[in-house]
Amino acid sequence: MKATFSITAVSLVLALAPGAASAQAKWPSKPVRMIVPFTPGAASDVLGRIVAQRFSEIWGQQVVIDNRPGAGGLIGSELTRQAAPDGYTLAMVGQPHLSNVLLREDKPYDPLKDFTAISFVASNPNVIVLARTVTVKTIPELIALANARPGALNYGSAGVGSSSHLAGALFASKARIDVVHVPFRIGADSRSALIAGTIHYYVYPLPAIVGMIKAGTLRALAVGSPKRAEALPDVPTSAEAGFGEYRSESWFGLIAPRGLPRQLVMRINADTAKVLQEPATREKIVQQGATPGFGSPEHFDKMQRDEFNELAPLIKQIGMKVQ
């Protein structure tokens, strides 16, 4: 997920575009809403707040985070789709924006046609986090435990169709284990359940849980990326933990309703690139366990299309659906 990007080139395009100067001068003239389809503390929320703070400073208008959790992120995406394409509604979305519609017969939106791609923002590994009551030290030990007690172990997620659900279901499929899926609407509830031991493991996007892992409140078994996360250098990869067949990462990016004027798309894209290249912002994102990454709107659109085409057969193969 790498792309080259030239702020100078974008600036030149904007300067030459008819009416671009007047459009930029008028926007933003009021606060901008950034919809996050999950609860405070979720990975998309953490990254959204980092970016929104800098946007507020650059634009001279407050960028307000609007958390709209529910249905694994579907509610937030649908609310974004319904908004006016005037630059005053953005959304920080991830993989659930794509996967949600693949789980439903009646598709509420088209994730590619009904939205405007603005910029890829960051990627991060997903991390398998265990309750303290689960004392295994490697993934093969976890698999052996699940096989010894079919249907007794469970895993949590942020809802049906969420990236954590997909990551957990993929792990169960790869490991060929019989475990129970327990969806949560509120992230804090899932973390409390892990601490209490009422759920046994959860495959979190790293920014949502890195603080509790560093504090020793929860124990990480492995990260799903090919190499260790910079924020958690002591946590092994899934391959190092004995299960190289499993790989699980998440991405996040900015979208808007379909029809956002091109000059605003490029303005927000250029400002996103600027923010993500700032050393202070990059450090904040890296410390949360993510890797900053930006590119053109076309790059982000293609990235989503490619992933959508990969997710469709995968979801069918592992049998995920809305229950």
Side-chain angles (χ1 to χ4, degrees), residues 130 134-142 219-221 236 241:
L130 301 176
V134 182
T135 59
V136 301
K137 299 186 182 302
T138 67
I139 294 180
E141 289 178 4
L142 177 61
R219 182 167 68 93
L221 181 63

Side-chain angles (χ1 to χ4, degrees), residues 58-216:
I58 293 171
W59 295 341
Q61 292 286 345
Q62 187 176 9
V63 178
V64 181
I65 296 295
D66 184 5
N67 295 96
R68 293 300 182 106
L74 185 145
I75 291 174
S77 290
E78 176 64 5
L79 189 63
T80 304
R81 184 189 70 81
Q82 295 172 354
D86 55 7
Y88 291 98
T89 298
L90 309 175
M92 180 69 76
V93 299
Q95 191 179 65
H97 178 66
L98 305 178
S99 60
N100 253 313
V101 298
L102 294 170
L103 305 178
R104 293 166 165 80
E105 292 294 332
D106 297 325
K107 304 189 186 319
Y109 58 79
D110 185 315
L112 304 175
K113 296 180 180 179
D114 291 342
F115 301 87
T116 300
I118 296 177
S119 179
F120 169 51
V121 171
S123 63
N124 60 261
N126 291 322
V127 55
I128 303 173
V129 180
L130 301 176
R132 291 190 176 277
T133 53
V134 182
T135 59
V136 301
K137 299 186 182 302
T138 67
I139 294 180
E141 289 178 4
L142 177 61
I143 295 172
L145 179 62
N147 283 330
R149 302 167 56 194
L153 293 188
N154 58 49
Y155 70 94
S157 83
V160 174
S162 65
S163 59
S164 50
H165 181 201
L166 183 60
L170 179 61
F171 176 73
S173 176
K174 291 281 188 182
R176 296 182 174 86
I177 55 177
D178 178 11
V179 289
V180 177
H181 172 227
V182 182
F184 288 83
R185 186 175 184 273
I186 300 175
D189 289 346
S190 71
R191 294 187 284 272
S192 297
L194 265 176
I195 293 171
T198 54
I199 59 171
H200 301 113
Y201 69 93
Y202 195 122
V203 188
Y204 282 102
L206 189 50
I209 202 73
V210 65
M212 297 186 76
I213 295 172
K214 287 181 176 180

Side-chain angles (χ1 to χ4, degrees), residues 284-299:
K284 287 180 182 178
I285 292 175
V286 168
Q287 286 302 310
Q288 293 299 324
T291 301
F294 55 85
S296 67
E298 291 73 23
H299 162 260

Side-chain angles (χ1 to χ4, degrees), residues 259-300:
L260 184 68
R262 179 66 178 177
Q263 61 266 32
L264 283 182
V265 173
M266 297 309 295
R267 164 75 184 277
I268 300 169
N269 178 275
D271 287 342
T272 304
K274 176 181 178 180
V275 165
L276 294 175
Q277 290 181 99
E278 295 171 346
T281 303
R282 292 184 65 84
E283 180 64 18
K284 287 180 182 178
I285 292 175
V286 168
Q287 286 302 310
Q288 293 299 324
T291 301
F294 55 85
S296 67
E298 291 73 23
H299 162 260
F300 186 39

Side-chain angles (χ1 to χ4, degrees), residues 15-40:
L16 296 175
S22 60
Q24 290 182 68
K26 296 176 182 177
W27 182 92
S29 60
K30 61 182 181 180
V32 175
R33 174 175 62 162
M34 183 183 292
I35 293 173
V36 171
F38 292 93
T39 57

